[in-house]
Amino acid sequence: MDLNVDVLKKVKNNFHVNLELKDKNSNLISKNKYMLLIGNHTAAAKEFKAMGNEIRQRNATYKYSNYNQFFDKLTGENGEVYESETDTIIARGFKTKN
């Protein structure tokens, strides 16, 4: 199967592709979602490897089910300090813009 879609004019860094594999009776065999990057594959692979290492290190510290890992102010990471009477806790990556 070949897939040819012009997405470069519509996206900057990445895009997602949803693929379904069906048998001849249209029964779903597999369904997957992929994120495809636009740009330098070598640089992107290096960046994703670093992200993976960070996630593995964080999971080793907090274990995946420990929800505090997403809140720098609760863990004290990155120099964040929690002021219990004045702060609203916001998950990492969801900081509000001023």
Side-chain angles (χ1 to χ4, degrees):
M1 175 177 87
D2 288 329
L3 180 65
N4 185 4
V5 180
D6 182 17
V7 296
L8 294 178
K9 294 177 186 174
K10 300 174 187 172
V11 297
K12 293 182 181 181
N13 298 321
N14 61 54
F15 60 98
H16 293 89
V17 176
N18 297 305
L19 297 177
E20 293 182 352
L21 178 63
K22 296 181 178 184
D23 65 15
K24 62 183 176 181
N25 296 320
S26 296
N27 295 314
L28 185 64
I29 297 171
S30 178
K31 182 177 181 179
N32 295 287
K33 181 176 183 179
Y34 299 93
M35 180 177 68
L36 302 177
L37 304 175
I38 296 174
N40 183 313
H41 173 77
T42 304
K46 185 177 179 181
E47 183 179 343
F48 271 2
K49 183 176 181 179
M51 289 170 63
N53 289 337
E54 180 183 335
I55 290 169
R56 281 186 288 284
Q57 182 178 6
R58 186 169 301 281
N59 286 345
T61 301
Y62 295 107
K63 307 301 178 214
Y64 188 75
S65 61
N66 185 335
Y67 137 105
N68 290 333
Q69 69 177 313
F70 301 108
F71 299 91
D72 290 338
K73 286 192 176 188
L74 293 177
T75 63
E77 289 187 44
N78 300 321
E80 299 272 351
V81 178
Y82 176 53
E83 298 292 336
S84 63
E85 293 188 21
T86 60
D87 275 341
T88 301
I89 301 298
I90 299 172
R92 180 182 305 106
F94 292 93
K95 304 278 184 196
T96 57
K97 295 179 183 177
N98 294 333

